[in-house]
């Protein structure tokens, strides 16, 4: 949106302004006898500080509320941006002059721009989107137009299993716009951000309490990055104990989908453990794998409750077996929405877990982030929590930084902090109970019409459930993707499709949804079952039917030509309540996963850069 608003000309103007200010500052500092980098620069100056009293200079600058980069030995780094004024530059040069006990030079603002061979010659940003929205009014309407195409939580529930699309309350989001938080640089000295430090410290403590662990690192920027961080901590622990050869990561087939990739990135070899038909870990297969790999066993990666939507009732026996054979237990925290206040990773015998703050703890999920995937660890792993090159974090034997910033996406931590403080222990527990209750209410209604795959010996699920649509294909030709598309006609985003089991929907209602909304979702799936039955009985055509043709767009419904063997009413308004909250998809089907499997290369050949 920044690029769309300013366009090519706007960005070039901003860039020239930044560069000329940097050049103006460079000339002023050089007049004071300071040696600067000679290479072409854009916005950043590097001063040779090998002969300067950098501690004294730093103190003088901070006394005048200016932070420069002193992190690199014998260097001072200064970065200019579009908010830097000429007055700011004058103040900075005057302070350098005072420190060097020299007369302050008169700054003459230069307009010269010359990047030599590094200057850009190719054209860019020629798409229409970068030319049409250069007023706030037009940009606002453009954004609103995009929003109208997006089926989001402000329309209806998004029951994505394992992704926990829950309410992100306005009260939690509001402080993100406050400059007192948003205006703080990630590397600002801790003493200049004591309020933020208190928030970070309390959130670490609260997350440690929720998980039953000793310490927390907020540095990982996503759930997958948290997995990687946790595994690197485990590897560091083994190396410290002279067990650096341990590199086998066991994981059940029911583990979260990103676990294998994270283990490989961490230098481990993945060995999969079978699951039983009821979704539980196959203990016999686990025992065989542990016996086979015990000398090199690094860890078990287990998701609890599993991605099958069940609490594995033998979990403590599983974790104890791993510990007996020298391994550590990594618990994937993707499903902590079913644990908080009822149990915790430490209680089941885990040593480390990551938490998806963008799931359980209410940070918005999707749209590219920002996610936060902190890790919480038992006491023996705390010394290995990740460090940062500029701001000290982690333990005494800290692993290298997992992300560049010391506390990851620190600004959005405010959301989870507020979520926890507003709910308190009782509210957090009730949230978990409500999420589990909602899932089991869904199960009790939907199992009358569909097959629910996994449940425990009491016939209960955890916070999510899996519905099997595979049986419908042979008789009606209907596949799970047809149901997913048809749900859009009912105003619902599809639940998770074909994960962890192909041909299924994994549904997670969360604690945020009212019974009325859950009942609407149930009524949609019940009506879809009737539509499938019409195909099974021959009442509807096997190829040309409401499911295969869904979703139906406004253009189709309102067009002059309607050549489907069913009514517009059936296509767009199959249930009465839909009229009050109708959402029309912008497009019909394109090609499902065809584009993912048949890539079209638009890569510029290497020769073009010569």
């Amino acid at each position: 949106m920044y690029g769309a608003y300013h366009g090519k000309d706007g960005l070039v103007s901003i860039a020239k302004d930044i560069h000329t200010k940097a050049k103006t500052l460079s000339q002023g500092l050089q007049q004071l006898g300071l040696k600067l980098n000679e290479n072409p620069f854009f916005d950043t100056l590097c001063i040779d500080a090998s002969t300067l009293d950098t501690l004294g200079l730093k103190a003088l600058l901070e006394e005048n509320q200016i932070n420069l980069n002193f992190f690199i030995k014998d260097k001072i780094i200064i970065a200019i941006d579009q908010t830097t004024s000429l007055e700011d530059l004058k103040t900075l040069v005057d302070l350098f002059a005072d420190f060097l006990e020299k007369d302050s030079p008169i700054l003459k603002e230069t307009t010269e721009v010359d990047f030599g061979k590094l200057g850009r010659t190719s054209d860019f940003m020629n798409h229409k989107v970068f030319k049409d929205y250069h007023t706030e009014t037009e940009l606002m309407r453009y954004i609103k137009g995009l929003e109208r195409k997006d089926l989001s939580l402000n329309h209806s529930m998004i029951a994505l299993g394992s992704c926990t699309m829950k309410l992100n309350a306005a009260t939690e989001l509001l402080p993100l716009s406050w400059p007192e938080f948003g205006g703080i640089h990630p590397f600002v000295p801790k003493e200049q951000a004591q309020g933020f430090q208190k928030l970070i410290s309390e959130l670490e403590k609260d997350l440690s309490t929720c998980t039953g662990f000793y310490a927390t690192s907020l540095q990982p920027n996503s759930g997958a990055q948290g997995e990687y961080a946790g595994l690197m901590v485990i590897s560091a622990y083994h190396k410290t104990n002279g067990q650096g050869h341990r590199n086998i990561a066991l994981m059940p087939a029911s583990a979260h989908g990103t676990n294998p990739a994270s283990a490989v990135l961490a230098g481990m070899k993945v060995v999969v453990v079978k699951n039983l038909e009821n979704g539980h870990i196959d203990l016999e297969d686990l025992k065989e794998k542990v016996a086979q790999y015990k000398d090199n066993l690094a860890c078990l990666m287990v998701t609890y409750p599993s991605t099958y939507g069940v609490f594995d009732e033998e979990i403590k026996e599983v974790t104890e077996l791993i510990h007996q054979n020298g391994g550590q237990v990594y618990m994937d925290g993707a499903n902590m929405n079913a644990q908080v206040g009822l149990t915790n990773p430490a209680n089941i015998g885990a040593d480390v877990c990551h938490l998806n703050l963008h799931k359980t703890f209410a940070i918005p999920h999707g749209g590219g982030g920002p996610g936060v995937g902190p890790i919480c660890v038992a006491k023996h792993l705390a010394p290995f929590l990740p460090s940062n090159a500029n701001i000290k974090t982690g333990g005494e034997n800290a692993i290298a930084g997992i992300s560049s910033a010391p506390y990851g996406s620190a600004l959005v931590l405010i959301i989870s902090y507020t979520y926890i403080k507003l709910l308190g222990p009782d509210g957090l527990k009730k949230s978990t109970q409500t999420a589990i209750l909602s899932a089991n209410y869904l199960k009790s209604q939907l199992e009358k019409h569909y097959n629910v795959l996994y449940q425990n010996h009491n016939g209960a699920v955890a916070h999510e459930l899996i519905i099997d649509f595979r049986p419908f294909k042979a008789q009606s030709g209907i596949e799970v993707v047809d149901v997913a598309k048809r749900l859009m006609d009912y105003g619902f985003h599809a639940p998770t499709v074909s994960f962890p089991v192909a041909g299924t929907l994994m549904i997670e209602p969360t604690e945020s949804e009212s019974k009325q909304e859950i009942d609407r979702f149930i009524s949609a799936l019940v009506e879809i079952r009737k539509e499938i039955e019409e195909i099974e009985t021959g009442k509807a055509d096997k190829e040309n039917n409401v499911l295969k043709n869904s979703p139906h767009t406004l253009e189709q419904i309102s067009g002059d030509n309607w050549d489907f063997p069913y009514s517009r009413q059936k296509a767009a308004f199959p249930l009465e309540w839909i009229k009050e909250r109708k959402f029309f998809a912008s497009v019909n089907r394109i090609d499902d996963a065809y584009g993912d499997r048949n890539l079209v290369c638009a890569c510029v050949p290497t020769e073009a850069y010569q």
Side-chain angles (χ1 to χ4, degrees):
M1 293 307 168
Y2 183 84
Y5 179 71
H6 290 289
K8 179 182 74 172
D9 293 342
L11 291 186
V12 168
S13 176
I14 291 169
K16 285 181 177 178
D17 179 60
I18 292 171
H19 175 64
T20 54
K21 285 175 179 172
K23 202 157 190 174
T24 299
L25 177 61
S26 172
Q27 293 171 353
L29 295 175
Q30 286 176 325
Q31 289 179 52
L32 289 172
L34 293 169
K35 185 178 179 181
L36 275 66
N37 53 308
E38 296 178 359
N39 294 323
F41 58 84
F42 167 51
D43 63 345
T44 303
L45 306 179
C46 178
I47 302 173
D48 181 354
S50 56
T51 61
L52 297 180
D53 172 17
T54 52
L55 289 177
L57 177 59
K58 185 172 184 286
L60 174 64
L61 292 169
E62 288 182 357
E63 187 180 322
N64 287 272
Q65 300 188 344
I66 293 176
N67 288 319
L68 300 183
N69 184 337
F70 287 85
F71 292 121
I72 303 172
K73 186 180 180 182
D74 295 334
K75 303 287 184 186
I76 301 172
I77 312 296
I78 306 174
I80 305 300
D81 64 26
Q82 61 267 48
T83 67
T84 307
S85 67
L86 186 60
E87 196 60 41
D88 293 331
L89 302 183
K90 289 177 180 177
T91 300
L92 185 57
V93 170
D94 288 345
L95 287 170
F96 268 95
D98 288 347
F99 180 76
L100 296 170
E101 297 181 344
K102 294 184 177 182
D103 293 333
S104 186
I106 298 174
L107 285 187
K108 294 182 179 179
E109 190 170 8
T110 181
T111 58
E112 181 187 351
V113 176
D114 180 16
F115 292 108
K117 292 182 179 180
L118 296 181
R120 182 169 191 149
T121 57
S122 60
D123 207 356
F124 64 103
M125 293 179 78
N126 287 319
H127 192 280
K128 185 175 181 289
V129 73
F130 300 117
K131 299 179 179 180
D132 289 353
Y133 310 111
H134 296 166
T135 69
E136 183 175 345
T137 307
E138 289 299 327
L139 184 71
M140 175 186 66
R141 289 169 182 158
Y142 171 57
I143 294 172
K144 186 65 181 180
L146 293 177
E147 181 198 337
R148 283 197 297 268
K149 296 178 182 180
D150 184 23
L151 178 55
S152 58
L153 275 171
N154 58 12
H155 290 98
S156 57
M157 70 185 286
I158 298 183
L160 284 168
S162 196
C163 284
T164 318
M165 300 293 280
K166 62 199 280 181
L167 173 69
N168 313 120
T171 305
E172 300 155 12
L173 296 173
L174 185 64
L176 270 66
S177 65
W178 297 349
E180 291 85 352
F181 287 116
I184 296 179
H185 193 282
F187 296 143
V188 72
K190 287 184 176 182
E191 59 271 17
Q192 293 181 23
Q194 293 183 46
F196 223 140
Q197 284 294 322
K198 182 177 181 181
L199 183 150
I200 288 167
S201 176
E202 286 193 21
L203 181 58
E204 287 176 345
K205 181 180 177 182
D206 289 345
L207 294 178
S208 296
T209 300
C210 288
T211 57
F213 282 137
Y214 179 79
T216 295
S217 169
L218 296 169
Q219 193 177 117
N221 257 328
S222 71
Q225 201 175 80
E227 293 172 24
Y228 174 73
L231 293 174
M232 293 303 289
V233 164
I234 288 174
S235 292
Y237 170 76
H238 285 314
K239 288 175 184 175
T240 300
N241 292 333
Q243 299 279 303
H245 60 278
R246 291 186 173 271
N247 67 340
I248 299 296
L250 299 179
M251 58 188 69
S254 60
H256 200 241
T258 51
N259 287 178
S262 298
V264 171
L265 277 175
M268 297 183 182
K269 295 180 180 179
V270 176
V271 176
V272 177
V273 177
K274 296 176 184 176
N275 281 83
L276 301 172
E277 284 192 12
N278 63 1
H280 290 188
I281 296 172
D282 186 332
L283 282 177
E284 294 308 312
D285 188 53
L286 176 65
K287 290 174 182 176
E288 288 178 16
K289 298 284 171 59
V290 169
Q292 182 179 353
Y293 296 105
K294 64 180 181 179
D295 293 336
N296 295 308
L297 178 61
C299 66
L300 169 77
M301 294 188 79
V302 63
T303 306
Y304 188 77
S306 73
T307 52
Y308 292 162
V310 291
F311 287 98
D312 199 306
E313 296 171 36
E314 295 83 23
I315 189 65
K316 287 191 175 182
E317 185 178 346
V318 168
T319 57
E320 186 176 345
L321 178 65
I322 300 301
H323 288 144
Q324 288 171 350
N325 289 273
Q328 294 286 287
V329 176
Y330 176 95
M331 196 211 80
D332 187 301
N335 294 335
M336 275 296 292
N337 218 41
Q339 280 200 54
V340 179
L342 299 180
T343 182
N344 61 53
N347 187 46
I348 67 170
D351 301 286
V352 54
C353 77
H354 86 267
L355 299 172
N356 299 84
L357 298 193
H358 50 285
K359 291 184 178 185
T360 304
F361 294 96
I363 290 176
H365 192 184
V372 186
I375 56 171
C376 307
V377 297
K379 189 173 184 178
H380 64 282
L381 295 181
F384 307 100
L385 287 175
S387 62
N388 179 266
N390 297 328
I391 302 294
K392 179 170 171 51
T393 60
E396 58 268 26
N397 295 317
I399 62 172
I402 297 299
S403 63
S404 298
Y407 309 105
S409 300
L411 180 63
V412 295
L413 297 177
I414 299 166
I415 303 171
S416 296
Y417 175 88
T418 309
Y419 174 82
I420 291 171
K421 296 302 184 185
L422 286 175
L423 284 173
D426 293 339
L428 290 170
K429 181 178 179 181
K430 187 174 181 180
S431 293
T432 304
Q433 292 171 323
T434 306
I436 295 173
L437 177 64
S438 296
N440 280 279
Y441 174 64
L442 260 174
K443 173 192 168 292
S444 71
Q445 301 304 304
L446 292 178
E447 67 184 353
K448 302 170 186 175
H449 309 276
Y450 298 98
N451 178 33
V452 178
L453 278 186
Y454 304 110
Q455 45 201 290
N456 69 6
H457 67 279
N458 290 321
V461 296
H463 65 310
E464 58 192 10
L465 63 150
I466 298 175
I467 295 180
D468 191 0
F469 287 88
R470 292 171 296 183
F472 300 120
K473 185 175 181 179
Q475 193 169 351
S476 66
I478 294 300
E479 301 183 62
V480 66
V481 68
D482 300 315
V483 177
K485 301 294 186 183
R486 180 59 173 156
L487 275 168
M488 282 191 245
D489 285 331
Y490 287 83
F492 288 107
H493 191 294
T496 302
V497 178
S498 289
F499 175 81
V501 181
T504 67
L505 289 181
M506 180 161 58
I507 305 171
E508 181 181 352
T510 80
E511 75 277 9
S512 301
E513 300 301 339
S514 65
K515 183 174 179 297
Q516 295 96 312
E517 181 68 359
I518 294 174
D519 283 338
R520 278 189 287 266
F521 182 75
I522 291 168
S523 68
L525 278 175
V526 170
E527 191 67 20
I528 287 173
R529 179 64 185 94
K530 293 177 184 176
E531 293 169 353
I532 297 174
E533 190 175 340
E534 289 176 355
I535 303 168
E536 292 172 335
T537 59
K539 185 178 178 181
D541 185 79
K542 199 168 184 177
E543 298 297 329
N544 192 0
N545 56 67
V546 287
L547 284 121
K548 288 293 183 184
N549 295 326
S550 61
H552 299 83
T553 66
L554 178 60
E555 184 178 359
Q556 288 176 306
I557 296 295
S558 60
D560 292 335
N561 298 320
W562 181 262
D563 55 2
F564 298 126
Y566 47 86
S567 67
R568 286 178 166 88
Q569 171 83 20
K570 185 177 183 67
F573 303 101
L575 293 172
E576 187 64 28
W577 56 262
I578 296 175
K579 294 178 181 178
E580 298 179 7
R581 45 195 295 163
K582 180 62 183 175
F583 174 88
F584 279 105
S586 297
V587 295
N588 196 263
R589 300 194 197 192
I590 302 175
D591 58 11
D592 294 328
Y594 180 87
D596 297 330
R597 295 168 182 160
N598 299 272
L599 301 181
V600 178
C601 184
C603 306
V604 178
T606 306
E607 292 77 17
Y609 294 95
Q610 293 180 341

